[in-house]
Amino acid sequence: MRHPGRGHIADQYVDFYQWIRSDGLVVAAGSFHNVTIVPNNELRITLNATSVISVILSMSVNSGVPEEINLTIPGADLCLVSPGWFVFAPSETSIANFGDVAYDGAVAKFKNGTSAGPLGSDAVIANIQRGNKTYTETDVGGLSVTVRYRTQ
């Protein structure tokens, strides 16, 4: 991923995460300190919300040893509704073939005890488009979502 403002440095990319409170305020942001991402790397990113105020983030590159970040922020309830995966790049940059991005067990549990999955009536599917080309296709089923790069 490229981070706006940090940019592209000698064919390396910068990862980053944000913790967005349920009211939309960003209360934490950072990156994995011991991870270097270059073109053609395969990334595995996991997020395990252990409570509404605690999360374990994990990233491994090319099936290597994952780096973990444990965050707990009292009073900053996670939204637990809309996980996001983003790639930022200037418009003149070609879109990288990122393969498949899979969300397994994609379910949000609300404070009132109800839950919603990717097939819910409020679900929104957005594919990556530039000009008249669509670069992704999204498959949704049960509790899983897969975003797949479409070869042109």
Side-chain angles (χ1 to χ4, degrees), residues 118-140:
L119 295 175
S121 60
D122 292 338
V124 175
I125 297 174
N127 285 303
I128 298 173
Q129 295 180 324
R130 182 180 285 166
N132 61 354
K133 287 187 179 180
T134 301
Y135 290 88
T136 58
E137 59 186 35
T138 304
D139 295 323
V140 179

Side-chain angles (χ1 to χ4, degrees), residues 52-119:
V52 295
I53 63 165
S54 297
V55 67
I56 300 170
L57 302 170
S58 173
M59 178 189 287
S60 64
V61 179
N62 297 329
S63 300
V65 175
E67 180 177 345
E68 283 190 354
I69 296 173
N70 294 286
L71 295 172
T72 298
I73 302 179
D77 290 3
L78 284 167
C79 179
L80 298 178
V81 175
S82 54
W85 176 80
F86 304 93
V87 177
F88 294 104
S91 61
E92 68 276 4
T93 303
S94 60
I95 295 176
N97 180 342
F98 51 79
D100 291 359
V101 176
Y103 294 95
D104 297 320
V107 62
K109 296 180 181 174
F110 303 102
K111 290 181 181 180
N112 67 6
T114 63
S115 62
L119 295 175

Side-chain angles (χ1 to χ4, degrees), residues 36-48:
T36 300
I37 304 168
V38 298
N40 298 313
N41 279 160
E42 181 177 304
L43 306 177
R44 179 167 180 83
I45 303 165
T46 59
L47 179 143
N48 181 15

